[in-house]
Amino acid sequence: MAEKLAPTRTVDGVHYHQHEIVIVGAGGAGMRAAIEAAQGADTAVVTKLYPTRSHTGAAQGGMAAALANVEDDNWEWHTYDTVKGGDYIVDQDSAEILAKEAIEAVIDLENMGLPFNRTPEGKIDQRRFGGHTRDHGKAPVRRACYAADRTGHMILQTLYQNCVKHNVKFFNEFYALDIVMTEVDGQEVPAAIVALELKTGELHVFQGKAFIFATGGFGKVFKTTSNAHTLTGDGMGIVWRRGLPLEDMEFYQFHPTGLAGLGILLTEGARGEGAILRNASGERFMERYAPTIKDLAPRDIVARSMVQEVLDGRGAGPHKDYVYLDCTHLGAEVLETKLPDITEFARTYLGVDPVTEPVPVYPTAHYAMGGIPTNNAGEVLSDNETVIPGLYAAGECACVSVHGSNRLGTNSLLDINVFGKRSGRNAVEYVKTAEFAPLPDDAAAFVKGMVDDLQASTGTESVAGLRRELQETMDKNAQVFRTADTLTEATKVIHSLRERYTQIAVFDKGKRYNTELLEGIELGFLLDLAEVLVYCALNRQESRGGHMRDDFPKRDDVNWMHHTMAYLTGDRKSPDPADHIRLDKKPVRVTRYEPTERKY
């Protein structure tokens, strides 16, 4: 018989709720976890956005699985590609789980009603994607299952419909700002989430037995990004402030084909269908950088190659600051049926018609490989091995690590489904025997103080101005190419911005939908995460995957074949991050594939 839960109550204006499993975030990972959790426990989802507005809906190209519907394929080749694509800093047992369970994950979505593109025989169609090969790297393979170039949108809608079917309780437009930890039997465990209801400005405490973070990435630390305005790293920032570690934060992926100057994404599926990258002279330059699979090399290699073309003076346009994505040879039928969204994006935002002319593109900040460290069960770790009972994470905010230093395209939609499902399933097993951890007398005190201080602020600094300066320095100093000098400059700027952040002004003193207050809180998380990204990048003296150091251009397996674990340890007033961030190492789990030179 299900346990009777305490009714909602209000104390001193703070609303208290009780649910067995509380999920923070309603993107793909959060809703896939919710579907699994709601079938075995009372489940609530606390989400900053209405679920179908989550950023999973922006994912275009596909979801990898070795179905072998179109040509020969198997999960072992997928595992190898994932490990090699991540430049061998992938935990290989995790990559094997990802590749093995991919097939079931796609079938799950099909059974839920997702309308995949079909072959003439009625099977799920598949197309090529960067870094995915047959027979351990010999040739590209058709592995990406897709729904035109709206795959993420279709996944999001399908998952939401199935959450409704399973009676998941949604708290929409509730902004989670803190996790309350309490000591039970000598160990810190999560007791509650504290959230701000945007509609009323009131605080809510969600007590639970288990909590799953699925809050997405933090791309808004950069100016040129494919990420939505809401991707400010809230979940990572919450656990960071509570002294829990973040893993591999130096590894950030820059997607090769963002619309030049805008960052709006053109899916890698375009190159999967045969689109070609060209420089100003029309040369197919990827033949020089990756002679075997050319334009379908992993994203880190393609992004660096594009930037190198521009740096070497072969860029296109009035300022020679971008290259071209040439889709003209694909024909109108392919573009309008298989790639309709990107065709419309190019026409709308650049006034360029991909059917008849090449599209200006340049790398854009896209995906965080690092995040909250978890094991293969989705359980959050407080160090290299110790599990925090009842705390889980999945999706981009988590680091399991299946992506290493460079995620392969289509493995993100796969990750959210495989590890979202795992975290939800394991949370159900945990709450069967767990008790509610006791709440402190005023569980919302920290958040109340933070919100009150911001609303009472009378400083002279603009939130938008500080955010713009942060994004500009990150674009300039910590993007595709980095050096000690650029990262040191970014560190100085971030410290200055942190000091100025204490003097920000929030002019809107209202409670209802106070977006100015919301952006002020988000900026605090962005400053935290930018600092740890830059400090970890400065520490790693090698180039690997998405982390390219011009002053250390080679991969160094002798000294750097390990994950980076970062811990917040002290007062952040010091200009030197070493005074308040401690870095540690975590071994990479190698099972079958010893590190070798990456050749494509």
Side-chain angles (χ1 to χ4, degrees), residues 12 59 89 147-148 150 210 218 347 501:
D12 296 331
I89 206 165
R150 301 171 178 140
F218 63 106
R347 290 168 177 162
Y501 179 68

Side-chain angles (χ1 to χ4, degrees), residues 56-115:
T56 298
Q60 298 168 348
M63 174 174 163
L67 300 181
N69 282 355
V70 181
E71 57 187 344
D72 191 27
D73 197 7
N74 66 62
W75 65 262
E76 290 181 277
W77 297 347
H78 188 184
T79 302
Y80 170 77
D81 290 338
T82 299
V83 171
K84 181 182 177 183
D87 221 348
Y88 293 95
I89 206 165
V90 173
D91 288 328
Q92 295 184 21
D93 58 329
S94 304
E96 186 170 312
I97 288 169
L98 185 78
K100 274 185 176 179
E101 297 184 8
I103 297 164
E104 180 181 303
V106 169
I107 301 304
D108 281 350
L109 288 171
E110 183 183 37
N111 291 337
M112 289 181 198
L114 196 148

Side-chain angles (χ1 to χ4, degrees), residues 515-536:
T515 55
E516 189 180 11
L517 172 67
L518 180 70
E519 290 176 355
I521 296 170
E522 290 173 333
L523 177 59
F525 287 132
L526 289 174
L527 288 167
D528 286 353
L529 298 174
E531 181 182 49
V532 69
L533 184 158
V534 169
Y535 186 51
C536 290

